[in-house]
């Protein structure tokens, strides 16, 4: 029931995703957009549809950056474990690159943004772009990202019952997402285990204080330092996972 804010226009189209199945893409265009673009990968534990707030965020990103934003509806758990969402994210990025002229965007100026589980997908896109023969995104933005299936951090032990997201839900998510996954699959699904490319783009990582994912987000920032052109880590205080949604 949300209203699209003034100053942006949303159109919907479909592209081929995992196993050739169609996925929906929302293109959000501001007035007089520049040639930069943003791929937005929503969170939700790989199992929830795009929340209205996430669509509103994408509209705000498009409007404030004067660029087109592309929000995809990737395949969801429990029916579609790994690699479905991952392959959908890669397919969307590839589509933006190969159809750049048609979309009126610059393939070398694509920002990739993801929150929570979408943060894992955004990191995957950057980590795998070089191996897939695709240009590196110009920037990655990871908002309280999921990055490691091992769940061995202090914050994972501390926050088993926090609202919105917690260690119990996180364990259930990984169990469903990695159902029948091989060791090779697992090392692709979890960004912390990815083989990093020669160089990563400038990276912004945001963590929340009372969040089981806090410490792995901080660890991931350290993990990619020296590979990413620069890393900005914003450890927000007094916050829970999904605070921006609330």
């Amino acid at each position: 029931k949300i209203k699209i804010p003034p100053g942006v226009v949303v159109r919907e189209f479909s592209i081929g995703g995992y196993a050739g199945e169609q996925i929906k893409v929302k293109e959000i265009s501001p007035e007089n957009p520049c040639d930069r673009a943003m791929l937005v990968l929503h969170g939700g534990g790989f199992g929830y549809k795009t929340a209205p707030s996430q669509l509103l965020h994408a509209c705000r990103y498009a409007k404030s950056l004067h660029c087109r934003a592309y929000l995809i509806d990737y395949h969801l758990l429990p029916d579609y474990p790994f690699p479905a969402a991952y392959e959908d994210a890669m397919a969307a990025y590839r589509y933006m690159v190969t159809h750049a002229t048609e979309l009126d965007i610059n393939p070398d100026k694509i920002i990739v943004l993801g929150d929570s589980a979408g943060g894992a997908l955004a990191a995957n896109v950057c980590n795998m772009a070089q191996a897939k023969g695709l240009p590196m995104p110009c920037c990655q933005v990871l908002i309280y990202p999921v990055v490691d299936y091992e769940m061995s951090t202090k914050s994972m032990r501390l926050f088993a019952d926090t609202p919105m997201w917690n260690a119990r839900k996180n364990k259930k998510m990984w169990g469903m997402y990695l159902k029948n996954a091989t060791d090779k699959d697992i090392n692709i699904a979890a960004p912390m285990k990815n083989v990093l490319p020669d160089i990563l783009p400038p990276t912004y990582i945001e963590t929340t204080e009372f969040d089981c994912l806090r410490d792995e987000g901080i660890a991931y920032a350290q993990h990619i330092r020296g590979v990413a052109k620069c890393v900005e880590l914003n450890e927000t205080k007094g916050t829970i996972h999904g605070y921006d949604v609330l």
Side-chain angles (χ1 to χ4, degrees), residues 199-236:
I199 192 166
L200 284 168
T203 301
Y204 173 86
I205 298 176
E206 182 172 303
T207 60
T208 43
E209 185 175 7
F210 305 108
D211 183 1
C212 64
L213 298 171
R214 181 194 67 199
D215 291 349
E216 65 185 62
I218 295 170
Y220 192 69
Q222 295 298 326
H223 180 63
I224 64 173
R225 286 191 193 279
V227 179
K229 291 181 179 179
C230 63
V231 179
E232 179 180 344
L233 174 62
N234 180 16
E235 299 179 57
T236 66

Side-chain angles (χ1 to χ4, degrees), residues 21 55 79 111 165 179 192 204 236 242:
E21 296 184 19
L55 173 58
D79 296 329
I111 301 163
W165 196 249
K179 181 182 179 182
M192 187 67 85
Y204 173 86
T236 66

Side-chain angles (χ1 to χ4, degrees), residues 37-186:
M38 175 180 280
L39 172 60
V40 181
L41 299 160
H42 71 83
F46 301 112
Y48 289 92
K49 294 180 179 181
T50 307
S53 58
Q54 290 164 328
L55 173 58
L56 284 176
H57 285 335
C59 290
R60 293 181 183 121
Y61 299 147
K63 193 172 181 180
S64 62
L65 293 175
H66 307 289
C67 74
R68 292 180 177 86
Y70 295 86
L71 179 63
I72 72 167
D73 289 332
Y74 53 81
H75 286 89
L76 301 171
L77 296 175
D79 296 329
Y80 292 93
F82 182 86
Y86 161 75
E87 292 196 5
D88 287 342
M90 293 303 304
Y93 182 63
R94 182 181 294 278
Y95 183 91
M96 291 173 69
V97 169
T98 57
H99 291 74
T101 301
E102 174 189 331
L103 298 173
D104 198 21
I105 63 174
N106 186 331
D108 295 318
K109 293 183 180 180
I110 299 174
I111 301 163
V112 180
L113 177 147
D115 67 282
S116 194
L121 299 176
N124 284 156
V125 169
C126 291
N127 293 343
M128 302 298 176
Q130 189 178 64
K132 298 288 186 181
L134 295 167
M136 185 62 68
C138 70
C139 174
Q140 64 175 331
V141 179
L142 312 178
I143 309 297
Y144 37 74
V146 169
V147 293
D148 196 356
Y149 65 87
E150 290 187 345
M151 297 181 57
S152 59
T153 62
K154 180 180 178 180
S155 62
M156 199 61 70
R157 295 190 297 273
L158 283 174
F159 303 121
D161 61 354
T162 42
M164 292 290 285
W165 196 249
N166 54 55
R168 289 184 290 106
K169 291 180 179 180
N170 203 69
K171 183 178 181 180
K172 184 176 181 181
M173 175 201 72
W174 277 120
M176 296 172 70
Y177 189 53
L178 299 179
K179 181 182 179 182
N180 302 323
T182 65
D183 289 343
K184 182 179 178 181
D185 290 338
I186 292 170

